[in-house]
Amino acid sequence: MYDGSLRGLAKRLVFSLFMSLRPTTTGNRDRDILVFFANRRKQRADYDFIAGELRRVVGRDGDYVEVLEHFNPLQWVSTLAGLLDALRAVSAYSVNPAERLTTALLIARYYSSRRHLAAVLSGKRTLVTFCDALPVENMLTQIARTNGAFTLTAQHGQYRLLDQSNMSPDAEAYANFISDRMLCWGDATRAEFVRAGFEPNRFIVTGWIRPPRSQQEQSGKRPDFFGVMLNGPNANESNKALLSVAKAVAAATGIPYLVRLHPQTALAAIQPLVDEQCRSIAHIALEPYLSSVAFSLGHMSGAVVEVLHEGHPTYLFDDGRLADVFRVEGLSYRSVDELIAAIRADIVDTSEVRERMASLSAWYNDNTNQASRLRAAILNKQGSHA
């Protein structure tokens, strides 16, 4: 919905009128647990891994349904049949008429799929989704809850309370948590939701479900660089502040730096913001990144949780836009001088920084005995109201 161009409008129009959902079922169809995934088309290996791991953990105790989009030249009939109701639903949406129409078409299109989705829930008492904030999984979760099923969803991204200083254009996507329970990364997430008024028992700490990192042989040589992990393009001002800090750290320590781009950030947008101490700017995977840098500067990004989990020395610069969930002693610093002093102290005393990073890692992401904890949460409905 964020692409307001004519091309974006045209894509939504075609999607609403000519694409349909096609559920595919794997399993015995007589189990009362359903694992559901509707995001294969995004071609994200990390997303696919989460769905696969949930399916593996449930095993023969549950069924698995995956939904794919397919071309249907007659979908427009079902979509248009629900258009009038959908137009009434978006009548207060403050956008131009074309945006309002395509939004209504999307609602009508998804609503037309409700019978297909309801059918996959037949006989199911527990529903496990990848992310119940996304359209198809959100709709299925609503249906499941209406039918009295117990629902769980996996955490996706580091949740945080935002204010006017750090508001994100896509923040509402993650506010729409409707399942009975969330399989969350760590106590940091639970505490953040409790601050927002949620009951703590709705959050079961199971850790970030992610592929294991292959361990490369360590040479024993300290890397020659430090890294800068940028936010997405919706936090450009904070990215600029972070790169200014990187220049100061490089000047104070004599250590050059590498810039790790967010997947949605273009190289051309960052090149004018670095100095001669920058040795590389790239979209780089976690493994080669960590093997190249001695420590990292970061801000408000899920990458922070990733590198902390590896015990990697990490320092966040609080430019006034940092969410409170990241304002933690020993991790974030409000002045450049304090940040540089912390880096210098950690270079001298490596044992202290290892202990500090291990403690921070567990706060954000506790995946100890993850498979057994996931299974207990799903099969035993840990903390359920049932």
Side-chain angles (χ1 to χ4, degrees), residues 104-124:
L105 285 168
L106 285 172
I107 292 173
R109 184 269 193 188
Y110 279 113
Y111 191 66
S112 73
S113 305
R114 67 194 184 280
R115 291 187 182 86
H116 295 297
L117 291 176
V120 305
L121 284 170
S122 177
K124 301 295 184 277

Side-chain angles (χ1 to χ4, degrees), residues 242-350:
L242 197 57
L243 290 170
S244 294
V245 173
K247 296 173 187 178
V249 171
T253 63
I255 304 173
Y257 61 95
L258 312 176
V259 176
R260 186 188 188 205
L261 295 173
H262 184 276
Q264 295 176 351
T265 301
L267 173 64
I270 301 303
Q271 282 179 318
L273 304 177
V274 302
D275 62 7
E276 67 280 356
Q277 288 280 58
C278 178
R279 297 295 188 264
S280 175
I281 308 172
H283 297 97
I284 181 171
L286 181 66
E287 200 166 293
Y289 172 76
L290 289 177
S291 66
S292 302
V293 298
F295 60 88
S296 291
L297 306 183
H299 190 255
M300 198 161 58
S301 165
V304 172
V305 181
E306 279 191 298
V307 297
L308 283 175
H309 187 62
E310 302 297 333
H312 180 68
T314 308
Y315 309 86
L316 308 188
F317 179 61
D318 183 358
D319 62 344
R321 302 180 183 90
L322 195 65
D324 287 345
V325 72
F326 289 117
R327 285 179 172 150
V328 178
E329 184 177 355
L331 178 63
S332 68
Y333 302 85
R334 300 208 68 168
S335 81
V336 178
D337 290 342
E338 288 177 346
L339 189 150
I340 291 172
I343 291 172
R344 283 175 166 163
D346 289 340
I347 289 173
V348 173
D349 186 358
T350 56

Side-chain angles (χ1 to χ4, degrees), residues 70-111:
H70 70 102
F71 177 72
N72 178 1
L74 298 179
Q75 173 61 40
W76 65 271
V77 177
S78 299
T79 298
L80 294 183
L83 182 58
L84 287 178
D85 286 340
L87 283 170
R88 283 192 286 269
V90 300
S91 60
Y93 189 26
S94 300
V95 291
N96 63 55
E99 285 275 8
R100 188 176 295 111
L101 173 62
T102 54
T103 301
L105 285 168
L106 285 172
I107 292 173
R109 184 269 193 188
Y110 279 113
Y111 191 66

Side-chain angles (χ1 to χ4, degrees), residues 161-182:
L161 284 176
L162 302 177
D163 56 36
Q164 291 306 313
S165 69
N166 53 28
M167 186 55 65
S168 168
D170 61 356
E172 76 280 1
Y174 302 119
N176 196 9
F177 159 53
I178 63 171
S179 292
D180 293 299
R181 300 291 182 269
M182 177 184 286

Side-chain angles (χ1 to χ4, degrees), residues 31-35 53-63 125-128 150 152 183 204 206 371-384 386:
R31 308 299 185 186
D32 67 357
I33 299 174
L34 174 64
V35 177
E53 186 66 5
L54 290 171
R55 180 183 180 185
R56 186 189 70 79
V57 164
V58 172
R60 296 184 178 181
D61 291 304
D63 296 331
R125 299 184 61 186
T126 301
L127 171 66
V128 186
F150 184 77
L152 305 97
L183 306 170
I204 306 171
T206 55
S372 60
R373 290 162 78 181
L374 284 169
R375 188 169 173 82
I378 296 169
L379 271 65
N380 303 331
K381 300 182 178 63
Q382 186 185 101
S384 83

Side-chain angles (χ1 to χ4, degrees), residues 163-237:
D163 56 36
Q164 291 306 313
S165 69
N166 53 28
M167 186 55 65
S168 168
D170 61 356
E172 76 280 1
Y174 302 119
N176 196 9
F177 159 53
I178 63 171
S179 292
D180 293 299
R181 300 291 182 269
M182 177 184 286
L183 306 170
C184 73
W185 294 357
D187 284 324
T189 295
R190 177 189 279 145
E192 203 69 355
F193 271 105
V194 169
R195 287 179 61 209
F198 288 79
E199 292 295 324
N201 69 350
R202 291 187 66 187
F203 305 91
I204 306 171
V205 175
T206 55
W208 188 348
I209 306 171
R210 56 196 294 266
R213 189 171 77 91
S214 60
Q215 297 296 316
Q216 293 183 328
E217 185 176 346
Q218 300 297 316
S219 66
K221 180 179 180 295
R222 186 178 179 85
D224 297 325
F225 312 105
F226 70 87
V228 185
M229 304 182 300
L230 297 186
N231 302 312
N234 56 13
N236 284 330
E237 292 306 311

